[in-house]
Amino acid sequence: MKTDLSIRFGELELANPLVAVSGTFGYGFDYEPIIPPETFGAVVVKGTSLEPWPGNAPPRIVETPSGMLNAIGLENPGVDVLIEEYLPRLAERDTKVIVNVVGRTVDGYVGVAEKLDQRPEVHALELNVSCPNVDAGGMSFGTSPEAVAELIGATRRVTQKPLIVKLTPNVTDITVVARAAEEAGADALSLINTLLGMAIDTETGRPILANVVGGLSGPAIRPVALRCVYQARAATNLPIMGLGGVSSAEDVVAFIMAGASAVGIGTAMFADPRTPGRIVEELKEYRSRYDEWPIGRAHQ
Amino acid sequence: MKTDLSIRFGELELANPLVAVSGTFGYGFDYEPIIPPETFGAVVVKGTSLEPWPGNAPPRIVETPSGMLNAIGLENPGVDVLIEEYLPRLAERDTKVIVNVVGRTVDGYVGVAEKLDQRPEVHALELNVSCPNVDAGGMSFGTSPEAVAELIGATRRVTQKPLIVKLTPNVTDITVVARAAEEAGADALSLINTLLGMAIDTETGRPILANVVGGLSGPAIRPVALRCVYQARAATNLPIMGLGGVSSAEDVVAFIMAGASAVGIGTAMFADPRTPGRIVEELKEYRSRYDEWPIGRAHQ
Amino acid sequence: MSSATDADLHLFEARVAHNAPEGTARRLTLAVDEPIDPNPGQFLQVGRSGSETYLKRPLSISDWDAARGLLELLILPVGRGTRHIASARPGEMLTLLGPLGRGFPSPDELGAAPLLVGGGIGSAPLVFLARRLAASGNPPTTFIGASDGQRLAGEKSLAGCSRRLVLATEDGSRGEIGMVTSVIWEHLDGLEGITSIAACGPAGLLEAVKILSDRLGVPAFGSFEERMACGVGACLGCAIPMAKPGDGKKYLRVCADGPVFALEEVAIS
Amino acid sequence: MSSATDADLHLFEARVAHNAPEGTARRLTLAVDEPIDPNPGQFLQVGRSGSETYLKRPLSISDWDAARGLLELLILPVGRGTRHIASARPGEMLTLLGPLGRGFPSPDELGAAPLLVGGGIGSAPLVFLARRLAASGNPPTTFIGASDGQRLAGEKSLAGCSRRLVLATEDGSRGEIGMVTSVIWEHLDGLEGITSIAACGPAGLLEAVKILSDRLGVPAFGSFEERMACGVGACLGCAIPMAKPGDGKKYLRVCADGPVFALEEVAIS
Ligand SMILES: Cc1cc2nc3c(=O)[nH]c(=O)nc-3n(C[C@H](O)[C@H](O)[C@H](O)COP(=O)(O)OP(=O)(O)OC[C@H]3O[C@@H](n4cnc5c(N)ncnc54)[C@H](O)[C@@H]3O)c2cc1C
Ligand SMILES: Cc1cc2nc3c(=O)[nH]c(=O)nc-3n(C[C@H](O)[C@H](O)[C@H](O)COP(=O)(O)OP(=O)(O)OC[C@H]3O[C@@H](n4cnc5c(N)ncnc54)[C@H](O)[C@@H]3O)c2cc1C
Ligand SMILES: Cc1cc2nc3c(=O)[nH]c(=O)nc-3n(C[C@H](O)[C@H](O)[C@H](O)COP(=O)(O)O)c2cc1C
Ligand SMILES: Cc1cc2nc3c(=O)[nH]c(=O)nc-3n(C[C@H](O)[C@H](O)[C@H](O)COP(=O)(O)O)c2cc1C
Ligand code: FES
Ligand code: FES
């Protein structure tokens, strides 16, 4: 019985296709021992900026049907603390480490990339050009193909690490941005970040999130995420990390069939922390059905 | 106790804010006697074209977490059948009638509008520039501010009926299209049509929908819909019909607070046909809390 | 386009009186207080609370005892919805919308010697039909088949109200060996004089039945399935291709124009 | 940033042994087989299947009988999640993640004469704390209040393990009349010598307790609430403003850095 779940995601050889997505798994250890970091083929740590960012005022989250809104605002202690406190510990564990990089300016991203370029603990950088919860940077980059291209070019100059670009679904045509990323030299795409949404407290008449709007994640957005992966696969040759609402091994396989060669999971861990372990277990049965992972099979 | 639920939606005086949305309530009678058409302040009939359209091949629908995908492809018998068979019957009932208009070209929309202009049974037209399930027309109009403006201008020339423009959330910035609609002379906005999504059958490796992609509706998309209404309210002065995942009186009030003066319901009727009746009943309690409907209160 | 008269549509709760296995399927008996008057071939949109599924699921009315208000569902648990409904406990309430759609032609129309053909869980609606036919004085000749004996559905009830019941399993574990549609051909002699065919099962079965009906020169009717949302004709989600499209119209609605169609009306895929 | 040691975190199912009303709240007793070792002030993320809610809900461990493995939750049904969990039937299994967060300081740290102040359902975690304090030989002085008698929580258990229990209701339907924080001031004489305050309740109560603790010159700790997703510190969803932000850091996590904070640590809003 074939139970080798390994899969090639661009330059990275992952032990299995499942990836803990940025912002939902901290720095890898909060769920121990229920979800040890080596459960995953790779762990993407929280969005990291050059300086510490305080994040948004509470309330930061709201539950929604089959999902949730978040407006964390990329709270993080900055890249230096990441390097000193979190990376060494994660490097001891048997998984690939990807750092989600954020900035308010191109220089902000470049600064983080520069500091991480020499860190052997880091296997790839994920440029987050898609966070809907910060005023500058984030999504304002990700909706403009030119800005995405410029950012990739500038970051490429300071690092040899694989550059994964995480795109926002909040655009008219995701293939335009995906192609711009490919042409600018990105090594892979990560699809999707959250959908822009909001919630209102009818008692007070006010938006629930202090930030007014937030990012929608969880199973609710899975059909949108799957469509974005499918479209991006058809439009580019870049390897794709598919994510958005993944909650089962079947979802993982669906994303692979849409064109992903790594599949992220986030919000579903909150609903049930047993999910990642269960998925990896169940993926073995799926894997045994195919000679190789059926990447992009839905396009045939 | 105030139980007058009436609300002004642009030029229309609705008996209550709840509207049956296009494509989910047929021509008003399929759910009788459980949901009689007069349950609603207005009924929007299925997207109607100049000639009959056959619609897409099956499968046309897939259930998703807290929602569904549809790719009906705007099957409809054409405006002449609408006028002869369906409008007379609906006109006998105590509700406002809105016709959702579709076309593959500007002329297609204009032709329908022209034929309906003299029909007293029709209280308003809803220009559907946002259907993701047809090759030409539909969403390809709705993602371009210029195309939306042109379409409104051309339709305005042939009809005095109030023109509601139904926008797609599948754009980078909905306020750009909303403002273009306002400047071009639209009387109201309808927000939102479905989100573009897809589903894959992991047994066959194929997209489930024959059309490959479809439109996501239901509670899953409610946070996105609410955000679009809130943004459009801030960007324009047009009256807004808010819709997307509405399933409770509380949802209706949330949309009103975001800026809507009419609130549509569709998919939730499929899940439970008692929902519209229950909402109208429960709205009475909400209504009694306010001197007037708290339209746009979340912006204060 | 609307099929049934308005007053036919009910939305009601019914108590699960029994839930028993029937091979790999479950037979649910519901105690119905609502004044419904279903026809064989009609179905219900069924919901059970606490479900992870969002929409209701279409299930045929497998049997109906009007006098006692007992309604039977025969459910094959294949996915999340059917699994959840099939595990409803006695005493629990299910939410039902229906009766829905156009059922089989009346006993009069099916004539003096109707033939019923069911495959797998497709036999479910045939039980109700056979009971009506028997009550009208013309019990049917019935063939049901499945991959194996565990998947034969409705056998006991069908035996009670058929002139003759032939079983067929592909693995030979019950009845004759082979596909039910092949087995029928071996019984062709005994089928002389049949007046109509009513069938329910997978596409392959319906196709074979169509060929048989052409050969026998009798009208044939089948119950079809498609994914559904509303179940009442409003959403156009359950399209089935027409055999002869025309006038810009290519599809019928399984829920409202069917689920039973004359086999020549629709394209069997 | 991680608080508890890894091995502390458990994900387990527990059977509902009892579910009884306690005023407007419900008291659920769970039979726990898992080898957990919770501290007062810690909480659980609780899930009940068949829920329309997507995330689990944070609930304090209201009481814990380590010997018998009985855990108590005191739940005020305020929304969909708490209503669903509060209506779990005896025999049913709930899914629990925990024990979570940092609880109250140890009995040693709280000193010889601790004062407990609870408001409404906020009294829930104080029961477990009072029991531990009593077991350590220093039963607390306890004040609990609510808008009315039906909303007083944990009274009986608190009476059993407090040196003294004072009740206050705003409508005077039980105990003294007035807000519990006002009633305390009238008892100030009796509070001489107290060594610490542990409180749980709405923001207004915690603010008043902070003023009281300043006046008495004793350390004060409060259990805080915020909407939660993960409950373990991973998502940063449950931010609470720090009293003295610095170094680019403005917020703490209620789930992992709390839910119990020294009242001077955080901005009470
Ligand atoms: C008019 C009608 C009458 C029916 N009567 C019965 C009956 O008496 N007993 C019975 O066991 N089943 C019956 N079915 C089939 C039953 O509705 C489906 O098996 C069920 O909807 C699948 O739902 P699920 O959640 O279990 O599976 P899902 O997880 O939704 O899907 C599992 C599989 O079922 C298929 N499927 C999904 N929805 C439908 C659908 N509406 N119709 C057919 N296939 C579908 C999918 O392609 C998938 O392969 C009937 C269907 C129709 C349309
Ligand atoms: C550490 C901690 C311990 C708690 N202990 C208890 C306890 O022992 N007993 C008890 O009855 N309740 C307790 N709560 C509060 C309880 O978690 C909330 O009442 C519950 O999450 C609300 O969920 P719901 O689905 O019922 O309401 P919803 O429908 O989600 O919301 C109803 C109302 O509750 C508020 N709310 C939503 N989520 C939270 C949250 N996480 N915390 C506070 N308010 C919220 C909303 O603002 C809303 O006004 C605790 C909360 C925390 C953070
Ligand atoms: C609480 C929370 C925090 C997040 N933080 C980040 C982040 O720092 N950087 C980022 O690129 N995406 C972030 N995301 C988005 C997720 O990485 C992911 O794109 C999204 O949640 C969809 O996946 P899911 O549905 O599996 O959660 C966050 C999501 C959540 C729910
Ligand atoms: C089955 C189905 C058919 C639809 N047909 C139309 C249509 O003809 N014209 C249109 O503008 N929108 C159509 N829509 C979109 C709905 O009108 C509505 O915008 C969307 O479903 C979101 O609302 P809901 O979540 O309440 O269903 C359709 C939606 C569904 C589910
Ligand atoms: S299921 Fe809606 S028309 Fe058939
Ligand atoms: S709830 Fe996730 S960090 Fe506290």
Side-chain angles (χ1 to χ4, degrees), chain B residues 48-56 73-76 101-110 112 128 133-138 140-141 151:
Chain B
T48 299
S49 50
L50 198 48
E51 304 294 329
W53 285 7
N56 294 328
L74 292 171
E75 172 175 345
N76 82 92
V101 179
V102 301
R104 289 208 178 77
T105 58
V106 170
D107 285 351
Y109 286 91
V110 168
V112 177
N128 175 2
N133 299 321
V134 289
D135 287 340
S140 55
F141 276 104
L151 180 66

Side-chain angles (χ1 to χ4, degrees), chain B residues 148-210:
Chain B
V148 166
E150 188 201 337
L151 180 66
I152 295 168
T155 316
R156 176 50 81 220
R157 255 165 260 137
V158 302
T159 181
Q160 291 309 310
K161 300 273 187 210
L163 288 181
I164 307 164
V165 183
K166 184 164 180 185
L167 300 183
T168 171
N170 301 296
V171 292
T172 306
D173 186 350
I174 202 160
T175 64
V176 174
V177 194
R179 270 194 298 262
E182 181 171 36
E183 279 158 27
D187 296 298
L189 299 174
S190 178
L191 304 168
I192 57 174
N193 212 312
T194 51
L195 286 166
L196 194 61
M198 79 178 286
I200 288 174
D201 182 336
T202 54
E203 291 301 318
T204 64
R206 302 289 314 148
I208 296 181
L209 298 171

Side-chain angles (χ1 to χ4, degrees), chain D residues 6-265:
Chain D
D6 296 340
D8 282 357
L9 190 63
H10 296 258
L11 183 64
F12 58 103
E13 316 269 316
R15 195 173 47 77
V16 178
H18 304 288
N19 180 338
E22 173 146 339
T24 51
R26 307 287 307 184
R27 174 195 299 277
L28 265 64
T29 309
L30 308 180
V32 175
D33 292 332
E34 190 84 3
I36 59 169
D37 184 18
N39 289 318
Q42 285 193 301
F43 67 101
L44 297 160
Q45 283 276 68
V46 182
R48 179 184 171 210
S49 71
S51 168
E52 277 173 55
T53 57
Y54 182 64
L55 302 169
K56 298 193 187 323
R57 292 295 186 268
L59 294 169
S60 298
I61 298 172
S62 178
D63 212 346
W64 171 238
D65 178 337
R68 298 194 293 158
L70 293 179
L71 188 148
E72 281 189 6
L73 302 174
L74 221 85
I75 311 175
L76 186 69
V78 296
R80 284 177 314 150
T82 45
R83 270 198 301 270
H84 187 65
I85 297 166
S87 58
R89 283 177 298 260
E92 236 183 281
M93 303 302 278
L94 298 181
T95 304
L96 307 168
L97 175 69
L100 296 166
R102 295 165 181 262
F104 288 102
S106 67
D108 271 9
E109 291 166 272
L110 292 176
L115 170 66
L116 308 192
V117 187
I121 193 69
S123 307
L126 300 184
V127 172
F128 185 16
L129 178 59
R131 191 170 308 283
R132 276 285 162 91
L133 290 170
S136 78
N138 294 320
T141 302
T142 305
F143 284 74
I144 62 171
S147 54
D148 59 68
Q150 283 297 302
R151 295 181 177 268
L152 282 174
E155 177 190 342
K156 215 172 134 192
S157 313
L158 285 166
C161 41
S162 297
R163 192 186 307 265
R164 183 172 162 215
L165 175 66
V166 179
L167 309 179
T169 57
E170 289 171 48
D171 69 354
S173 53
R174 290 291 314 282
E176 306 188 21
I177 188 164
M179 306 257 284
V180 61
T181 44
S182 320
V183 166
I184 290 190
W185 288 98
E186 293 157 24
H187 291 260
L188 220 49
D189 293 350
L191 295 181
E192 250 168 70
I194 70 154
T195 50
S196 62
I197 313 181
C200 186
L205 179 139
L206 296 171
E207 240 160 333
V209 165
K210 185 155 190 307
I211 294 169
L212 179 69
S213 75
D214 287 344
R215 161 80 177 265
L216 296 175
V218 297
F221 306 88
S223 180
F224 287 76
E225 294 191 2
E226 191 43 75
R227 288 154 182 271
M228 291 186 180
C230 70
V232 300
C235 76
L236 310 184
C238 58
I240 184 169
M242 298 165 73
K244 301 190 194 67
D247 261 358
K249 191 166 171 59
K250 278 199 199 169
Y251 301 100
L252 295 170
R253 298 164 303 176
V254 170
C255 71
D257 303 315
V260 175
F261 295 97
L263 293 185
E264 67 207 9
E265 258 183 295

Side-chain angles (χ1 to χ4, degrees), chain A residues 64-66 143 170-172 196-200 202-203 205-207 212-213 216 219-220 222-224 226-227 230-231 250 253-254 257-258 289-290 297-298 300, chain B residues 64-66 143 170-172 196-200 202-203 205-207 212-213 216 219-220 222-224 226-227 230-231 250 253-254 257-258 289-290 297-298 300:
Chain A
T64 68
S66 297
T143 57
N170 302 295
V171 291
T172 305
L196 195 60
M198 78 178 287
I200 289 173
T202 54
E203 292 300 318
R206 302 288 314 146
V212 181
V213 294
L216 183 63
R222 194 195 305 142
V224 175
L226 207 58
R227 181 263 299 175
Y230 185 88
Q231 289 181 320
E250 190 183 354
V253 174
M257 287 172 163
R289 299 187 196 174
Y290 317 109
R297 176 165 301 178
Q300 283 160 13
Chain B
T64 68
S66 297
T143 57
N170 301 296
V171 292
T172 306
L196 194 61
M198 79 178 286
I200 288 174
T202 54
E203 291 301 318
R206 302 289 314 148
V212 182
V213 295
L216 182 63
R222 194 194 306 142
V224 175
L226 207 57
R227 182 264 299 175
Y230 185 87
Q231 289 180 320
E250 190 184 354
V253 174
M257 288 173 163
R289 299 188 196 175
Y290 318 108
R297 176 164 302 178
Q300 284 160 13

Side-chain angles (χ1 to χ4, degrees), chain C residues 57-60 74-76 78-79 81-82 121 225-227:
Chain C
R57 292 295 186 268
L59 294 168
S60 298
L74 215 71
I75 310 175
L76 187 68
V78 296
T82 46
I121 193 69
E225 295 193 2
E226 190 44 72
R227 289 154 183 271

Side-chain angles (χ1 to χ4, degrees), chain A residues 140-215:
Chain A
S140 55
F141 277 104
T143 57
S144 152
E146 296 78 25
V148 166
E150 188 201 337
L151 181 64
I152 295 168
T155 316
R156 177 50 83 222
R157 255 165 259 138
V158 301
T159 181
Q160 292 309 308
K161 300 273 187 210
L163 287 181
I164 307 164
V165 183
K166 184 164 179 185
L167 299 182
T168 171
N170 302 295
V171 291
T172 305
D173 186 350
I174 202 161
T175 64
V176 175
V177 194
R179 271 193 298 261
E182 181 170 37
E183 280 159 28
D187 296 298
L189 298 174
S190 177
L191 303 168
I192 58 177
N193 211 313
T194 53
L195 286 166
L196 195 60
M198 78 178 287
I200 289 173
D201 181 336
T202 54
E203 292 300 318
T204 64
R206 302 288 314 146
I208 296 181
L209 297 171
N211 191 52
V212 181
V213 294

